[in-house]
Amino acid sequence: MENLPAVITEEPTPMGRGPLGPSGGGSSRDHVWTTRPSVSWEKAGPEEAKAPGRGDEASAARVAGPAAGTPPWQMGAYRTDLTLQLLAVRRKSGLQDPGLQQTLRGQLRLLENDSREMARVLGELSARLLSIHSDQDRIVVTFKTFEEIWKFSTYHALGFTHHCLANLLMDQAFWLLSPSEEEETAIQVHVDESTLRLTHESLLVQEGPFFVLCPDHHVRVTTGPRDAGNGPQALRQASGAPQGEAAPEADSSPPSPSVSSEEVAVAAAPEPLIPFHQWALRVPQDPIDDAMGGPVTPDSRLMAVGLASALADFQGSGPEEMTFQGGDLIEVLGVRVPGLPWCVGRHAASGQVGFVRSGLISMQGPVSEMESAIFLNEEEKSFFGEGRFSEEDARQLLRRMSGTDVCSVYSLDSVEEAETEQPQEQEIPPRCLGPEPQETLQKVKNVLEQCKTCPGCPQEPASWSLCAASSNVSLQDPEEPSFCLEAEDDWEDPEALSSLLLFLNTPGYKASFRGLYDVALPWLSSVFCSFSDEEELTGRLAQARGAAKKSGLLMALARLCFLLGRLCSRRLKLSQARVYFEEALGALEGSFGDLFLVVAVYANLASIYRKQKNREKCTQVVPKAMALLLGTPGHICSTEAEGELLQLALRQAVGGQSLQAEARACFLLARHHVHLKQPEEALPFLERLLLLHRDSGAPEAAWLSDCYLLLADIYSRKCLPHLVLSCVKVASLRTQDSLASSLRSVNLVLQNALQPHSLPTQTSHYLRRALASLTPGTGQALRGLLHASLAQLYSHHGYHGPAITFMTQAVEASAVAGVRAIVDRLVALAWLHVLHGQNPVALDILQSVQDAVVASKDQEGVIANMVAVALKRTGQTRQAAEGYYRALRAARDLGQRRNQAVVLANFGALCLHAGASRLAQHYLLEAVRLFSRLPCRECGRDFTHVLLQLGHLCTRQGPAQQGKSYYEWALLVAVEMGHVESQLRAVQRLCYFYSTIMPSEAQCVIYHELQLSLARKVADKVLEGQLLETISQLYLSLVTTGNRKAELRLCNKLVALLATLEEPQEGLEFAHMALALSITLGDRLNERVAYHRMPPPLPEALASHPRLSLGPPGSPTGSWASLCHSPDRLRVPLLLSMACPLQDPFDAAGYYQLALAAAVDLGNKKAQLKIYTRLATIYHNFLLDREKSLFFYQKARTFATELNVRRVNLPPLPLCGWAPWLAPSHPR
C-alpha cells in the first residue's frame, strides 16, 4: 500500500445503513492476508496469537506515529479534537488576502456569539463543534466514533469542507459576482494531517479490534491497548488455501546482530489500514469464505486485457474450464482481475471459450489507466448520467426560473413602503450599469420589427440534445421489454410452444432478454404481465421446460430453468432453486454465447451455495462468479445477493492491494445499489471511487461530473443541503460542465436551498456555465431562457442593473420565441427599469410595444397599469390616474379580480401621494375587500402589502387601534402563505407600533423576539445583531421582581465570596445593596442575613430603616438609632436589649449573633458567654437545630471554664415572662 499516507484522511463515509455495516466489529476470530507476493487468507492459532509482530522501518516511514516507532495505542491519552484553520485567499495565487481575512474574521465573530448555524454545518460534515476562536480564525471540532472521523476525513479529502464553510460565511451577494471576481477569492480550510491521523487511530483503538498492515506485508487484527504488549497477533496458514501456495510463517527468531535496535523498534509498530479498508474488512467473516483461500498470485496489481500466453499445461475439470498447453495464446474476454483465481478467455487456435486459471497465463496488455480499469465499455461509463435529468426536466426548470407574473398580473406600486417609518434601514445593493437607454430602445424596436414578421407560435426546437452524451450506447429501454409471455397463449398447441422455444433457444444475447435477467425490473408484471398466480406461471414454465428438454433445445432449457430458479428463490425454496440453477448450468455445457445468462446463473447459484453453507460447492463456484461479475462488461444484475459477492471481491482486492481492482469493485457495488433503488448504500463506494480516481493522477473526465452530481443527489435524499451545494460546486470546478450537468446542478441547488422562500444565488454560477456550454449562434430559444433566468435571479436579490443586462440579452434571443413571449419579456424589461429608477426608459419601451400593436388584451391591461406606475413616479399624477382607469376597465372586462384589487390599491397609493388621504383609504379598503375573497397562496404578498399600507395610514390619521388590527391581519396572511419576508415586514410594523404609537413594553418584547426568529430564518446577521441589542435594552427597562430577586442572590453570593477571601470592606457595598433589596422585597430572612454579614462599626445608613429610626424611646428602633451613635462599650447591651423583647426566635437569633459579633470585636468574654448560652437555648428549644445548639453550648462551656463559672444554666424562667417565645411549646 505505497500510497497510504496520501489517502489516510481521504476515505468515504459509511452513510446510513451500509451493506457492510460501518459499526460492525471485527470477527471473533483473527484473520490476515499475507503477501509474498502471493496472498492467502489465514486464521490465528491459539498459541501463535501470543507471538509479537515484526517489521521494518519502511512501515513507520509511511505513516509517522506520535513518536518514532511508537504506535498510537502505546500512548497514554487519546486525542479526539481537531483544529480547522480558515484562510481567505486569492484562488489563482493562493496568497492570503488581508482584507478578505478581516471580513472572514467578522463573520466568525458573529458565529462565535451564536454558533448554532456553524454547529449545523459541521454536523453535516460529521464533526462536533467545540469552540470558535474568531481572533485566530480557528474552529475546534471533536469526534466520538470512528465513523465520524471517517466521514469528516472523506469530505475534507473531496474538498467539501471548504465549500460548506464558504456557503455559511460568504454573503449571498458573493455568488452574484462576475465569474472573474468570484474565481479570485476562496476560503480554504487547513487541517493538520498528522493530528487527523492520530485522531483516527485513537478512535480505532477505543472501539476495539482493528486491522493493521505489518512490515512483512501481512494484514492482521490487533485489539489495541489490552494486547499492546504482544502486538498484532501472529497467524497460521488457512486450512483451505490452495496446495503449493502456503504462506510463510511469521519469523519469530530474534533479530540478527546486523539489525540496529532503532530498526527493531520501528519494525514493531504496525501500520493501521486506511479507514475505508477498516470498514470493508469489518464485515463479519462468513466461515464458508475460508474455503476459498483468499486472493492469490498478485504478480501484478494492475488489471489486464487482451492477449495472454499460457505458462503451463492445464486440463479443465469441466466443460466450462478451458484446456490449454504451455505457450498457447489466449484472448481474455473482459478483463483479468488481480487477486482472483479465474478469468474468462478464448483460445486463439481452437476458439474455445471458458474459464482460465489466472496464475497460469502471462498477460501482454496491462491496464495502465484507472478509467480503463473502472469501466470496461462506454455503456458503463454512461451509468452516472443516464436517466438522471431528462430534457423535459430541463424545460420545466428553465420555465420555472425564467417565468414571472409581471407579464400576466398587474404590478403593485410599492414605492410608498420606503416613505413609511421602518425600524431598520434596508441596505441598497450596489448599482450596476446596464446598456445605454438609447441602445436598449433601438434593440427593442428591432425585436418588435422581427415580431411583426414571425409567426404567432414559438419556434422552439424539438430537442435540446441534453442527453446526447449518454445515448451513444444503451441497451433496450428496460421499461418496455419486447419479450412477453401471455397467460392466454395456448401452450397446448405444439406450433405456439415450438415458436416460443425456438425464440428462447437463441444462442446469443438479445436485448429482449434483459427483462428475464434483470432483478430490478418488475418482470412478473412486465415479462409475465398476464399471470396473476405464480403457481400457474411455474406450471407453464415447467411444461415448456419439459418440451425443451425433450426437443434437445439446450439454450431454451437453460433460460427456462433459470426462470424457474428465480421463481423458487422468490418464495425462499432454495433447494429447489439450486436444482434448477444447476440444471441450467449443465444445459449450457460450457457455452458462453449468452455471457449475461452465464453471469446470472453463476451469481444466483453462488448466492444459494453461500446461504446453504455448502463449502465444497462454494470453493468451485464463488471464485468463478466473482471473476464473471468483475470481468464482464456491462453485466446485468440478476440477484440482490450479487452485492455480497461483490463485497467479497472488494475484500479480495483490498487484500491483494490492487487499487484498480478495488476501484472496479467500488463502481460495481455503487451501480448495484443504485440499480436496486438503494442509493444511500452506494455512498461509501461512490466516494471511494472518486478518491481512487483522483489519487491515481488520471486526467479529468466527463463522467466525474455526473458521478459528483449523483453523489449530490444522494446527499439531497438524506437532507444534507450543505453537502449537496459543496458537491455540486466541486463537480463544476473539476470538469468542464456540459449543458445537461449545468442544468442538473441548478436543479439540485434549487431543491436544497438554504432559505426555502428565496432563489439561491449559487444558481448564478451554473446558469453562466450553461450559457458558456452553448455553441455561439445556436440554441437561441435556450439561450433566451437562460438569460431570463439570470435576470429574474438578480432582480429577486435587488440587483436590477445586471438584471436589465440579462433581460436585454433575453429579448434579443427571443426573436424566434413567438409574439406573446417577446411581449412578455419586453414588459419584464420595462418593469426592471421601473424598479431601477429609470422610469423614462420604461415608458419608452412600453410605448414602443403599444405602437407596434402586437399585445393581446390582457397584456394591454398589464402595460396600462405599468405605464401608470411609471407616470406616477415621474410626477405625472393625472396621466397616471387615466392609466389606472384603463387598466381597471381591462381587468373588469376580463373578470380578473386580482388585477382589479391591485389597480385599486395603486389608485389608493396615487391618492395618498397626491395628499387625498380619505380617498386613498377608500380605494385601499376596496382593494382589501377584493383581496380577502381570493386565496392567500395566490395573492398573499400583494394583500400583505396593502394591509400594511392601510395600517400605516390609520396609525397616522387614526384610529390607531384599527391600524394595529391591519398590521396583525397582514401578519396572519403572511403566516398562512408561509412567506418569511412578508412576516418580517409585518412584525417590524408591529414593533414600531408598540414602541412609538401605543407604547407597550411587554408587547414590544414579544414582537421583537418574533422578529429575531424571522431574521435568523432569512440569515440577516446585521438585523439579528440590532435586534439582540434592542431586546436587551427592553429587558433592562423591565425591572421586574424576578430581576430584583436574581440581583439579591447575586449580591449575597458576592458578599459571601468576599468574606471568604477576607475582604470584608469590599463586600460592604454589596451588603448594603442586599439589605436594600431585602427590605424592598419584604424578605425578612435575607434582611437578617444582610444585617449579620455587615461588619462593625454599623453603618449610618441603617438608621434610616423605617422599623429602626421612628420608634419611641425604649423600643427596638429607638435603641438601634442610638446604637449607631453609641460608644463601643454600649453596643452589646443595646443589642441584647433589642433581642429580648422580640416575639420571633429568628429575629432574636439574628440580633444575638450581631451582639456576638460586637462582643467578639470588643473582647468581652462575659458577654460572649451569655450570648452563646442564649443562642444554645434558642436553637435547642425553638429552632430545633440540635447541631447548632450543641455548638453554641460547647462554646459557652469553654468560656465558663475560662471565667471559672461552675455551671452554665439555662435562662431563668422569669425571662419567659418578658420574652414569651422562650417558653417551650410543649412540656419537657
Side-chain angles (χ1 to χ4, degrees):
M1 304 179 67
E2 300 85 357
N3 63 339
L4 187 62
V7 298
I8 189 67
T9 62
E10 303 176 356
E11 304 311 316
T13 169
M15 304 291 292
R17 301 180 304 276
L20 299 179
S23 60
S27 173
S28 59
R29 295 169 307 280
D30 302 306
H31 303 283
V32 65
W33 279 305
T34 61
T35 58
R36 184 216 23 170
S38 64
V39 182
S40 62
W41 181 259
E42 296 187 357
K43 226 173 12 177
E47 295 83 6
E48 295 168 326
K50 299 181 180 179
R54 293 285 310 278
D56 54 27
E57 189 173 354
S59 173
R62 284 192 291 270
V63 177
T70 304
W73 49 85
Q74 293 181 4
M75 301 182 63
Y78 303 129
R79 181 172 183 175
T80 58
D81 60 311
L82 187 69
T83 299
L84 312 182
Q85 183 72 49
L86 274 63
L87 295 178
V89 299
R90 294 290 177 182
R91 192 185 298 273
K92 293 182 179 179
S93 63
L95 299 177
Q96 187 173 353
D97 188 301
L100 292 175
Q101 193 70 29
Q102 287 299 325
T103 304
L104 173 63
R105 185 167 297 177
Q107 293 291 331
L108 284 175
R109 192 173 295 113
L110 290 174
L111 293 170
E112 191 173 14
N113 295 326
D114 184 2
S115 60
R116 286 177 295 181
E117 291 186 29
M118 177 66 76
R120 191 178 303 114
V121 173
L122 292 174
E124 289 193 23
L125 291 171
S126 193
R128 301 168 186 258
L129 176 65
L130 282 182
S131 59
I132 300 175
H133 305 275
S134 58
D135 56 333
Q136 301 175 357
D137 305 322
R138 291 180 178 178
I139 302 172
V140 181
V141 298
T142 188
F143 309 93
K144 298 298 183 184
T145 64
F146 163 75
E147 182 181 355
E148 289 180 355
I149 188 68
W150 180 10
K151 290 180 182 180
F152 178 83
S153 61
T154 300
Y155 299 146
H156 184 65
L158 291 172
F160 296 164
T161 54
H162 314 292
H163 301 291
C164 278
L165 293 178
N167 285 323
L168 175 65
L169 297 171
M170 291 290 192
D171 188 80
Q172 287 294 307
F174 171 78
W175 311 108
L176 294 177
L177 296 174
S178 62
S180 59
E181 293 175 307
E182 179 191 346
E183 293 174 1
E184 274 294 313
T185 56
I187 291 181
Q188 292 184 357
V189 181
H190 291 272
V191 176
D192 184 71
E193 296 296 329
S194 61
T195 305
L196 186 63
R197 175 181 54 81
L198 288 177
T199 304
H200 161 240
E201 295 178 4
S202 299
L203 290 170
L204 275 180
V205 170
Q206 294 180 38
E207 292 197 0
F210 58 95
F211 294 88
V212 293
L213 177 66
C214 296
D216 56 359
H217 302 291
H218 288 67
V219 176
R220 291 189 173 93
V221 176
T222 184
T223 54
R226 288 174 293 180
D227 296 334
N230 297 331
Q233 299 173 356
L235 305 164
R236 60 178 173 82
Q237 180 186 355
S239 58
Q243 295 182 358
E245 297 188 13
E249 298 292 337
D251 185 10
S252 60
S253 60
S256 63
S258 60
V259 180
S260 66
S261 59
E262 181 180 359
E263 290 175 341
V264 173
V266 173
E271 173 185 340
L273 293 185
I274 58 177
F276 180 81
H277 294 165
Q278 297 281 354
W279 178 67
L281 299 179
R282 277 187 175 189
V283 60
Q285 178 67 16
D286 193 337
I288 201 67
D289 297 332
D290 293 343
M292 290 174 286
V296 295
T297 352
D299 297 328
S300 172
R301 296 176 181 173
L302 300 178
M303 300 174 72
V305 296
L307 292 177
S309 57
L311 300 177
D313 297 348
F314 180 77
Q315 179 64 42
S317 59
E320 73 278 2
E321 295 182 5
M322 182 187 299
T323 299
F324 53 84
Q325 297 179 348
D328 289 353
L329 287 180
I330 300 173
E331 179 188 1
V332 174
L333 301 181
V335 67
R336 192 202 73 170
V337 181
L340 296 183
W342 296 97
C343 63
V344 179
R346 177 186 290 111
H347 198 282
S350 64
Q352 180 190 2
V353 177
F355 288 104
V356 180
R357 274 282 183 182
S358 299
L360 298 180
I361 58 175
S362 175
M363 298 299 303
Q364 300 178 5
V367 177
S368 58
E369 295 183 359
M370 177 63 78
E371 184 174 319
S372 300
I374 298 173
F375 311 110
L376 303 185
N377 57 21
E378 290 298 321
E379 178 196 346
E380 292 185 343
K381 192 180 298 185
S382 65
F383 155 75
F384 298 105
E386 63 182 6
R388 311 294 176 200
F389 191 71
S390 65
E391 191 164 296
E392 183 59 31
D393 295 334
R395 292 179 188 272
Q396 294 180 3
L397 169 68
L398 290 181
R399 287 168 185 158
R400 185 171 70 251
M401 285 203 67
S402 62
T404 173
D405 58 0
V406 172
C407 310
S408 57
V409 178
Y410 289 3
S411 300
L412 189 67
D413 184 11
S414 58
V415 71
E416 296 296 333
E417 183 176 0
E419 300 174 3
T420 60
E421 296 88 341
Q422 290 291 330
Q424 293 86 19
E425 294 184 1
Q426 301 294 330
E427 182 180 355
I428 301 177
R431 299 171 65 91
C432 178
L433 297 178
E436 292 295 330
Q438 294 300 325
E439 181 183 353
T440 300
L441 189 59
Q442 186 59 45
K443 290 180 180 178
V444 169
K445 292 181 178 179
N446 294 338
V447 170
L448 287 173
E449 287 297 326
Q450 297 178 12
C451 182
K452 293 179 180 179
T453 60
C454 72
C457 58
Q459 299 178 1
E460 189 174 351
S463 175
W464 289 348
S465 302
L466 292 182
C467 305
S470 62
S471 60
N472 301 344
V473 180
S474 63
L475 296 175
Q476 180 176 339
D477 187 359
E479 299 296 334
E480 298 181 2
S482 59
F483 175 66
C484 183
L485 297 180
E486 299 288 345
E488 292 78 11
D489 293 343
D490 185 9
W491 288 21
E492 299 295 336
D493 184 4
E495 184 176 352
L497 185 58
S498 175
S499 62
L500 171 64
L501 294 178
L502 289 176
F503 178 77
L504 291 176
N505 200 50
T506 304
Y509 171 78
K510 286 186 176 182
S512 57
F513 292 153
R514 183 180 183 89
L516 300 177
Y517 307 154
D518 198 339
V519 69
L521 295 181
W523 57 295
L524 282 180
S525 59
S526 56
V527 179
F528 311 113
C529 53
S530 60
F531 289 91
S532 58
D533 186 6
E534 289 190 17
E535 293 293 339
E536 180 186 2
L537 175 60
T538 302
R540 292 290 187 93
L541 292 177
Q543 178 184 354
R545 165 181 165 273
K549 192 173 185 179
K550 184 177 180 180
S551 302
L553 302 176
L554 297 181
M555 289 302 297
L557 176 63
R559 291 188 175 101
L560 289 169
C561 287
F562 173 74
L563 292 176
L564 287 167
R566 285 192 64 183
L567 285 172
C568 293
S569 296
R570 281 172 53 88
R571 292 177 289 176
L572 300 180
K573 296 181 178 180
L574 299 184
S575 297
Q576 190 173 354
R578 174 179 57 81
V579 171
Y580 281 124
F581 286 135
E582 288 176 344
E583 184 177 356
L585 188 60
L588 289 173
E589 294 184 343
S591 171
F592 286 79
D594 188 348
L595 191 56
F596 290 159
L597 175 62
V598 176
V599 176
V601 171
Y602 269 94
N604 282 272
L605 198 54
S607 66
I608 290 179
Y609 286 151
R610 283 171 56 85
K611 291 177 182 177
Q612 293 184 336
K613 309 299 181 183
N614 193 328
R615 182 183 297 268
E616 180 182 357
K617 293 295 185 179
C618 280
T619 305
Q620 300 173 5
V621 176
V622 171
K624 296 177 181 178
M626 289 192 297
L628 287 169
L629 291 174
L630 266 70
T632 304
H635 77 273
I636 301 171
C637 175
S638 60
T639 173
E640 295 182 3
E642 182 180 304
E644 298 177 4
L645 298 173
L646 291 173
Q647 290 165 16
L648 182 59
L650 176 62
R651 291 168 60 88
Q652 301 282 7
V654 172
Q657 302 179 44
S658 172
L659 297 182
Q660 288 187 350
E662 182 182 346
R664 173 68 177 167
C666 286
F667 164 70
L668 292 176
L669 278 164
R671 191 184 71 163
H672 170 78
H673 289 297
V674 172
H675 197 59
L676 295 181
K677 305 296 187 295
Q678 302 168 349
E680 294 183 10
E681 310 294 336
L683 268 182
F685 307 111
L686 287 172
E687 292 164 342
R688 178 61 177 163
L689 179 62
L690 290 171
L691 288 174
L692 286 171
H693 184 274
R694 187 202 64 179
D695 295 337
S696 68
E700 302 294 347
W703 67 269
L704 285 173
S705 176
D706 291 331
C707 185
Y708 274 108
L709 294 179
L710 175 59
L711 196 62
D713 185 65
I714 299 175
Y715 289 146
S716 178
R717 295 171 184 265
K718 292 178 65 65
C719 299
L720 301 171
H722 292 91
L723 279 179
V724 174
L725 298 181
S726 302
C727 195
V728 170
K729 183 67 173 181
V730 171
S732 67
L733 295 177
R734 293 291 300 272
T735 60
Q736 182 64 37
D737 284 349
S738 63
L739 175 62
S741 61
S742 297
L743 294 180
R744 188 177 170 190
S745 300
V746 173
N747 189 54
L748 284 168
V749 173
L750 287 176
Q751 291 176 357
N752 296 271
L754 301 178
Q755 300 176 18
H757 301 284
S758 176
L759 283 175
T761 56
Q762 289 89 341
T763 56
S764 170
H765 174 79
Y766 309 107
L767 289 171
R768 291 175 185 271
R769 291 180 73 90
L771 275 172
S773 67
L774 295 176
T775 306
T778 62
Q780 289 298 104
L782 179 57
R783 194 181 300 273
L785 288 173
L786 291 171
H787 279 125
S789 300
L790 282 166
Q792 292 303 319
L793 176 64
Y794 278 85
S795 175
H796 178 81
H797 291 279
Y799 290 84
H800 303 302
I804 289 173
T805 302
F806 287 118
M807 188 57 74
T808 302
Q809 295 171 337
V811 168
E812 291 182 280
S814 63
V816 297
V819 176
R820 184 174 183 86
I822 293 174
V823 174
D824 284 345
R825 289 181 181 171
L826 288 173
V827 170
L829 177 61
W831 182 243
L832 288 174
H833 280 286
V834 171
L835 295 176
H836 200 46
Q838 298 176 346
N839 296 290
V841 181
L843 288 172
D844 290 339
I845 294 174
L846 294 173
Q847 187 62 45
S848 299
V849 175
Q850 288 178 330
D851 294 343
V853 196
V854 291
S856 60
K857 189 170 183 179
D858 59 328
Q859 289 176 329
E860 289 177 354
V862 172
I863 293 172
N865 177 73
M866 195 174 295
V867 167
V869 172
L871 289 171
K872 180 240 179 179
R873 297 191 179 195
T874 56
Q876 304 178 54
T877 305
R878 184 181 184 85
Q879 293 85 344
E882 295 174 355
Y884 284 141
Y885 177 73
R886 288 193 295 270
L888 179 60
R889 186 173 57 188
R892 286 176 175 171
D893 291 342
L894 295 173
Q896 299 171 340
R897 299 175 65 181
R898 178 181 177 181
N899 287 343
Q900 295 177 46
V902 170
V903 76
L904 286 172
N906 287 340
F907 258 125
L910 180 64
C911 295
L912 192 61
H913 179 73
S917 57
R918 291 193 175 276
L919 192 58
Q921 185 174 8
H922 167 74
Y923 282 118
L924 290 174
L925 285 172
E926 290 295 323
V928 166
R929 290 190 184 95
L930 287 175
F931 275 127
S932 63
R933 299 170 186 171
L934 298 173
C936 288
R937 298 285 179 181
E938 178 183 334
C939 58
R941 296 187 188 183
D942 291 344
F943 191 15
T944 302
H945 176 80
V946 173
L947 287 171
L948 293 177
Q949 199 171 27
L950 188 56
H952 175 67
L953 182 60
C954 291
T955 54
R956 286 197 309 176
Q957 299 183 355
Q961 193 69 24
Q962 189 174 358
K964 183 205 71 169
S965 301
Y966 286 125
Y967 288 156
E968 292 173 343
W969 191 357
L971 177 59
L972 292 174
V973 172
V975 170
E976 182 180 354
M977 70 175 178
H979 190 248
V980 180
E981 294 179 357
S982 298
Q983 296 177 42
L984 185 58
R985 286 196 295 269
V987 172
Q988 286 174 342
R989 295 293 185 87
L990 284 166
C991 290
Y992 174 76
F993 178 85
Y994 282 113
S995 61
T996 305
I997 307 301
M998 295 182 65
S1000 173
E1001 291 181 338
Q1003 293 292 329
C1004 204
V1005 168
I1006 292 173
Y1007 283 110
H1008 272 88
E1009 289 184 341
L1010 177 57
Q1011 186 180 353
L1012 177 62
S1013 66
L1014 294 173
R1016 286 171 176 165
K1017 285 185 179 180
V1018 298
D1020 191 338
K1021 290 294 182 182
V1022 176
L1023 178 58
E1024 184 179 345
Q1026 294 172 352
L1027 288 171
L1028 286 172
E1029 182 179 0
T1030 303
I1031 292 172
S1032 64
Q1033 293 175 355
L1034 287 171
Y1035 274 116
L1036 287 176
S1037 65
L1038 292 173
V1039 183
T1040 61
T1041 301
N1043 293 338
R1044 290 195 180 103
K1045 288 183 178 179
E1047 189 176 356
L1048 174 60
R1049 288 194 299 269
L1050 181 59
C1051 289
N1052 284 334
K1053 290 183 179 181
L1054 287 172
V1055 172
L1057 177 62
L1058 292 171
T1060 304
L1061 298 176
E1062 298 182 355
E1063 298 289 345
Q1065 294 300 325
E1066 295 184 11
L1068 184 59
E1069 178 182 355
F1070 296 107
H1072 291 169
M1073 294 175 61
L1075 178 61
L1077 288 169
S1078 301
I1079 295 171
T1080 303
L1081 295 171
D1083 190 340
R1084 298 185 63 191
L1085 178 61
N1086 276 294
E1087 183 180 350
R1088 288 193 301 273
V1089 171
Y1091 285 142
H1092 176 65
R1093 285 175 172 169
M1094 295 181 68
L1098 296 175
E1100 291 282 346
L1102 295 182
S1104 62
H1105 190 291
R1107 285 181 50 217
L1108 304 179
S1109 60
L1110 300 177
S1115 67
T1117 55
S1119 300
W1120 186 268
S1122 62
L1123 177 63
C1124 295
H1125 303 281
S1126 64
D1128 288 342
R1129 66 179 180 274
L1130 299 178
R1131 191 185 310 161
V1132 175
L1134 284 173
L1135 286 170
L1136 292 174
S1137 65
M1138 290 166 56
C1140 289
L1142 295 181
Q1143 305 296 314
D1144 189 346
F1146 288 98
D1147 285 342
Y1151 283 113
Y1152 276 126
Q1153 288 175 353
L1154 288 174
L1156 178 63
V1160 172
D1161 185 47
L1162 295 173
N1164 191 336
K1165 296 183 178 180
K1166 290 185 178 181
Q1168 293 181 51
L1169 171 61
K1170 186 175 183 179
I1171 295 171
Y1172 278 129
T1173 303
R1174 293 189 178 183
L1175 283 172
T1177 302
I1178 292 173
Y1179 279 101
H1180 182 271
N1181 294 333
F1182 302 100
L1183 297 183
L1184 303 180
D1185 190 337
R1186 298 187 180 276
E1187 183 178 354
K1188 287 189 176 181
S1189 174
L1190 180 61
F1191 170 78
F1192 289 126
Y1193 184 75
Q1194 290 174 347
K1195 287 285 187 181
R1197 289 295 301 270
T1198 302
F1199 279 103
T1201 302
E1202 185 177 352
L1203 296 174
N1204 295 320
V1205 177
R1206 294 182 179 179
R1207 185 177 180 182
V1208 178
N1209 296 320
L1210 292 175
L1213 291 177
L1215 284 176
C1216 299
W1218 52 273
W1221 53 266
L1222 287 177
S1225 58
H1226 57 275
R1228 294 289 180 181

